[in-house]
Amino acid sequence: MKRKCAVLLVFVSVLVLVLGCAAFAADKKIVVGFAQIGAESDWRVANTNSIKQACADAGFDLRFVDGQQKQENQIKALRDFITQGVDVIGFSPVVESGWDEVIEEINDAGIPLIISDRTTDIEGDDYYATWMGSNFIEEGEKAGKWLVEHLKSKGRDKDEINIVELQGTVGSGPAIDRKKGFENILKDHPNLKITQSQTGDFTRDLGKTVMESFLKKGDKIDVLYAHNDDMALGAIQAIKEAGLKPGQDIIIIGVDAVKGAFEAMVAGEMNCTVECSPLLGPQFVEAVKAILDGKTLPKITYTIEDVFPQEVAKDVIASRQY
Ligand code: GZL
């Protein structure tokens, strides 16, 4: 009889222990480390807000680091996340190269990796669980296609058109691919030429400074193609200070579709923006949950995006979320 009581006691103790752990596990917050690029543009601020809000709504313990556009800061943050033993790591790589070592450390630590927004140049796709963001080549092609159609609508499709280009951060996926996509279109229109091209690092200030140098050269400029709206908005300032009319003397094309671009289009100072949605937070949270539930996700998920010409800006601006 005594033996039976002893076995029963052990069984009940083990049961309490298992249920206790399960309860703790159920209560344990999901811990996510996110290494963000910085706060270089309105797009990035909106992206950060989206990720923070979605993680808060999901009850995650979010460890968020602003890399201030420095790769070494992001690498340090990723290593810290490994030391902290977070459940999932997310990051947006400021440039494409230089991640091999730290990503191998993340893989060795067995922590699932979500890459959002930007891209790396690492071969294969087994080093990350899923990637979400925009198709940057397609964005560049959309900008080129809009310009070709716009010039045709103005009877200028045969004119010699000089284009100046403000590139994004050197070595970043969007800068490389938005240039590539735009040039995919230009190659079929030899009268459209990029005469000056330089990085504005996705920032408004540098976009203004570089546009000032483009203008100072004195060559005819018909079009500005900026890899993001922030640089376009800085360039618009420079164009006005040079006594020219942005949106009329110089056609202005940007990418992102941030609120400032719509305000400039409503004011007649910008002609088109190609949408690149920063609102990746909800998608990021769903990916974290799916991964921790043991589900397999598609390796790549592109966001669906639009092109907004000046003509629609006043009707659309009120509905914009960023
Ligand atoms: C694109 C994103 C780019 C934006 C810029 O997905 O990485 O970085 O176009 C931002 O505004 O700085």
Side-chain angles (χ1 to χ4, degrees):
M1 185 55 184
K2 271 187 187 159
R3 187 171 158 67
K4 275 188 182 168
C5 287
V7 169
L8 186 62
L9 188 62
V10 167
F11 174 73
V12 170
S13 313
V14 168
L15 189 63
V16 166
L17 191 65
V18 167
L19 288 176
C21 290
F24 173 74
D27 290 349
K28 178 183 173 298
K29 277 198 166 199
I30 292 173
V31 184
V32 175
F34 193 92
Q36 179 61 292
I37 288 175
E40 74 282 0
S41 62
D42 292 355
W43 189 99
R44 186 65 53 200
V45 170
N47 178 245
T48 290
N49 293 341
S50 178
I51 288 163
K52 283 184 172 176
Q53 187 58 56
C55 288
D57 293 348
F60 290 174
D61 171 2
L62 176 66
R63 316 276 168 85
F64 185 91
V65 173
D66 173 337
Q68 291 166 358
Q69 278 199 290
K70 290 184 172 56
Q71 180 172 38
E72 60 269 24
N73 292 346
Q74 285 193 290
I75 290 174
K76 182 185 179 307
L78 293 170
R79 287 193 165 122
D80 290 347
F81 295 151
I82 295 170
T83 308
Q84 293 163 28
V86 300
D87 298 309
V88 177
I89 290 176
F91 91 121
S92 176
V94 59
V95 292
E96 290 207 319
S97 57
W99 304 100
D100 302 66
E101 205 177 306
V102 69
I103 283 183
E104 196 173 329
E105 292 164 23
I106 293 171
N107 292 168
D108 291 347
I111 300 175
L113 177 63
I114 297 174
I115 302 181
S116 92
D117 169 30
R118 295 199 182 164
T119 46
T120 77
D121 61 4
I122 298 175
E123 288 297 314
D125 61 12
D126 55 356
Y127 66 92
Y128 64 93
T130 191
W131 179 92
M132 59 193 70
S134 303
N135 185 326
F136 302 129
I137 290 182
E138 197 178 89
E139 290 171 344
E141 290 174 346
K142 285 176 179 176
K145 285 174 185 166
W146 176 85
L147 177 60
V148 167
E149 288 310 309
H150 178 74
L151 292 169
K152 200 182 291 176
S153 73
K154 303 291 180 190
R156 298 181 63 189
D157 48 310
K158 299 282 183 276
D159 292 6
E160 286 303 311
I161 298 291
N162 287 354
I163 302 165
V164 294
E165 180 183 35
L166 285 169
Q167 296 184 38
T169 300
V170 176
S172 68
I176 294 166
D177 286 349
R178 283 173 184 166
K179 182 173 189 54
K180 202 180 290 177
F182 192 69
E183 290 172 349
N184 284 350
I185 304 303
L186 260 49
K187 67 180 184 309
D188 299 329
H189 302 272
N191 59 315
L192 308 187
K193 290 187 182 65
I194 296 177
T195 54
Q196 300 183 73
S197 181
Q198 194 178 325
T199 184
D201 205 21
F202 283 131
T203 68
R204 207 176 279 218
D205 290 350
L206 199 49
K208 179 172 189 278
T209 305
V210 174
M211 189 67 208
E212 284 163 351
S213 70
F214 287 164
L215 290 161
K216 210 166 280 169
K217 198 154 174 249
D219 295 348
K220 176 172 87 87
I221 298 175
D222 302 294
V223 178
L224 163 66
Y225 169 50
H227 290 183
N228 82 333
D229 292 335
D230 284 65
M231 295 188 292
L233 295 169
I236 285 169
Q237 207 49 49
I239 292 166
K240 291 203 277 192
E241 288 171 7
L244 297 171
K245 294 190 186 75
Q248 297 175 57
D249 299 332
I250 297 177
I251 295 166
I252 313 282
I253 306 167
V255 184
D256 281 349
V258 295
K259 185 75 82 150
F262 284 87
E263 289 161 350
M265 288 194 285
V266 168
E269 296 178 347
M270 189 166 175
N271 303 87
C272 175
T273 183
V274 175
E275 187 177 31
C276 174
S277 177
L279 306 179
L280 297 170
Q283 205 178 329
F284 177 78
V285 161
E286 288 315 306
V288 169
K289 289 176 179 174
I291 290 164
L292 295 180
D293 282 349
K295 295 192 182 102
T296 307
L297 292 168
K299 281 294 180 183
I300 291 182
T301 308
Y302 287 125
T303 36
I304 312 292
E305 295 162 342
D306 212 334
V307 180
F308 296 99
Q310 189 184 92
E311 307 80 86
V312 306
K314 66 183 177 321
D315 298 333
V316 170
I317 189 167
S319 67
R320 297 300 297 166
Q321 296 177 62
Y322 63 91

